[in-house]
Amino acid sequence: MALENGWYSPAVAHALRFDVLVIGSGASGLASAVAAERAGARVALATKGSLQSCNSAKAQGGIQAAVGEDDSPEVHAEDVWKSSHETADMRLVEILTSEAPGTIHWLEEAGVAFTRENGGYRIARCGGASRKRLLQVGDRTGNAITKALRETLLASSARTFPKSPLKELDRIENGWRALCGDHVLEAGSVVLAAGGRCYREAEERGELSTNHPGATGEVTRIAIDLGAESRDLDALQYHPNGGAWPENMQGYSIPETTRAYGAVLLNADGEEFTDSLGPRDEVSQAIVDEVEKGMGVETPDGRPAVWIDTTRISPEDADVSLPYMLRRYRAGGIDPLAEPVLTYPVLHYQNGGLVIGEHGETTVEGLFACGEIAGGTHGRNRMMGNSLLECCVFGRRAGAAAAEKAAA
């Protein structure tokens, strides 16, 4: 039996041909596939698990966009630059922030209903931000965005291949050949939107992670082996407020909007020890340092923690912006509005990734990347609310560019 690129030729003979192949079904993959299909491309989307399985759907806090009267894309960009400790790629940052308001409208057209009040958006100030610009759908923003984009994709001509992880990717004469699960898929261009590796990293470190079990990073390795350049892959981010107790909340990311609406971090003596609205890495480090100084609190199962005083959040704010968190904690026997909760940083996000250009192109021709698998937009430290934004802004750009490349 003849081999082609190490694959049996009968499998190759039954390959399905598309213009654009998207790998991943999180917000970036869905946005890419929708954009490519709307650009006229024949699109396939393959993903490791079910179409619903992704980190994006777990994102609670919100999505940033400069929609306030005292805000602007330039101020947003400056906040990103500062939060990255001046390590972000400013070309990408300026695209991210300038296209943010338009991306919000694009999502609304897809069916995302952002929480509103007083005739406008309900916006909050998040860690590292100098203005209120965090839009929310309660505390299930990622779920709302992925649901709307998934329904848009399923109503289109695109084909989906769930439970079909990318195993191999090879160049062929007119583009790429991919082995996704049991499917051989060929395409003129490929968009990698498979997320990061924090679930695997947490397992190896013996730590907790907010991530979905599919976040294991093998697609990044496939791209690097093909010659794609990467940056900042060592810069993994801890969410400052992982749930530490009760047990059913361990690994849960307490929404940072708790702090936007008044919650503060307290040590064992009930004293504030850091700026609760500082950048993520600074807040996480402050918690670790406080525990190492002996000023932390121990959970009933012996884990380190500090308090986050959620009793300072008004019931009105909590009911509108934190309903899911309240349900989760109350199911575990704790009412966050009546007592503070225990928290400790938890592995959350891959800041670095594949090097990309302004349209999501990697350093390998015909191979694009967007979302958590791509690096540069956040530098070595990401602000909350910018991940969903990056997924949508650069997902749309990568999908459109991949369609154009395939048609060339």
Side-chain angles (χ1 to χ4, degrees):
M1 202 176 275
L3 290 171
E4 183 175 338
N5 286 332
W7 304 16
Y8 284 114
S9 57
V12 172
H14 291 91
L16 299 174
R17 180 73 190 182
F18 299 91
D19 298 319
V20 175
L21 170 62
V22 177
I23 304 297
S25 63
S28 58
L30 293 169
S32 295
V34 168
E37 197 272 343
R38 288 181 175 176
R42 292 170 299 147
V43 176
L45 182 147
T47 191
K48 181 188 293 185
S50 70
L51 292 179
Q52 294 84 359
S53 299
C54 61
N55 276 338
S56 301
K58 293 161 64 70
Q60 300 170 91
I63 181 171
Q64 287 204 56
V67 296
E69 292 183 0
D70 65 340
D71 204 0
S72 70
E74 292 75 21
V75 174
H76 187 179
E78 183 63 23
D79 286 347
V80 174
W81 179 242
K82 289 178 180 177
S83 289
S84 78
H85 307 296
E86 302 183 357
T87 61
D89 183 334
M90 281 304 291
R91 297 174 306 149
L92 303 181
V93 173
E94 288 165 0
I95 291 168
L96 180 81
T97 62
S98 64
E99 295 188 5
T103 296
I104 296 301
H105 298 314
W106 182 74
L107 288 170
E108 288 178 318
E109 290 171 356
V112 180
F114 292 101
T115 305
R116 289 177 169 267
E117 64 180 5
N118 303 321
Y121 297 111
R122 179 181 175 87
I123 52 177
R125 179 177 163 232
C126 58
S130 60
R131 303 285 192 277
K132 289 184 176 182
R133 71 169 69 93
L134 189 75
L135 289 81
Q136 308 134 71
V137 183
D139 54 356
R140 300 299 303 278
T141 309
N143 182 66
I145 288 174
T146 52
K147 181 175 184 291
L149 292 178
R150 188 168 55 249
E151 290 175 351
T152 299
L153 182 68
L154 292 175
S156 74
S157 63
R159 286 194 60 181
T160 59
F161 296 87
K163 299 181 180 178
S164 301
L166 179 66
K167 297 178 180 178
E168 294 186 45
L169 184 62
D170 290 301
R171 253 193 206 291
I172 57 175
E173 184 177 353
N174 296 313
W176 298 92
R177 180 177 295 133
L179 179 60
C180 297
D182 296 328
H183 305 284
V184 177
L185 308 176
E186 295 181 353
S189 56
V190 174
V191 180
L192 303 179
R197 69 184 196 279
C198 282
Y199 185 87
R200 175 175 59 81
E201 285 280 351
E203 279 198 320
E204 292 175 356
R205 298 180 185 191
E207 298 178 357
L208 297 173
S209 171
T210 62
N211 278 208
H212 187 277
T216 49
E218 58 270 16
V219 175
T220 299
R221 176 49 53 193
I222 289 173
I224 291 172
D225 288 344
L226 287 167
E229 294 180 14
S230 64
R231 55 165 290 173
D232 302 321
L233 276 175
D234 63 312
L236 299 180
Q237 182 176 78
Y238 284 81
H239 191 293
N241 294 139
W245 190 262
E247 287 183 294
N248 70 306
M249 301 305 290
Q250 289 176 343
Y252 169 81
S253 57
I254 300 170
E256 287 192 53
T257 39
T258 53
R259 291 180 276 133
Y261 290 114
V264 296
L265 294 162
L266 304 175
N267 63 20
D269 290 342
E271 299 169 339
E272 289 188 52
F273 58 89
T274 189
D275 175 7
S276 293
L277 283 176
R280 276 184 167 172
D281 59 341
E282 294 179 9
V283 176
S284 294
Q285 190 61 54
I287 293 171
V288 172
D289 290 346
E290 197 71 5
V291 169
E292 288 183 350
K293 288 190 297 185
M295 295 302 293
V297 182
E298 191 172 281
T299 66
D301 64 347
R303 292 178 179 270
V306 296
W307 297 108
I308 179 168
D309 187 1
T310 46
T311 67
R312 305 190 189 197
I313 304 170
S314 75
E316 294 77 18
D317 284 335
D319 287 343
V320 172
S321 292
L322 299 164
Y324 179 65
M325 186 200 81
L326 293 180
R327 288 197 303 272
R328 287 283 303 267
Y329 269 101
R330 287 168 177 168
I334 293 175
D335 183 354
L337 300 185
E339 57 183 305
V341 298
L342 291 167
T343 185
Y344 194 75
V346 60
L347 200 57
H348 183 60
Y349 192 84
Q350 176 181 295
N351 287 315
L354 303 177
V355 171
I356 61 168
E358 296 178 5
H359 296 280
E361 62 273 32
T362 70
T363 55
V364 175
E365 187 178 1
L367 193 63
F368 298 79
C370 54
E372 191 175 354
I373 198 172
T377 308
H378 312 298
R380 296 183 62 82
N381 183 60
R382 177 177 67 80
M383 294 177 70
M384 77 156 295
N386 277 344
S387 57
L388 288 173
L389 178 61
E390 178 197 22
C391 285
C392 295
V393 168
F394 285 99
R396 292 174 70 189
R397 281 179 157 253
E404 182 178 350
K405 176 68 177 177

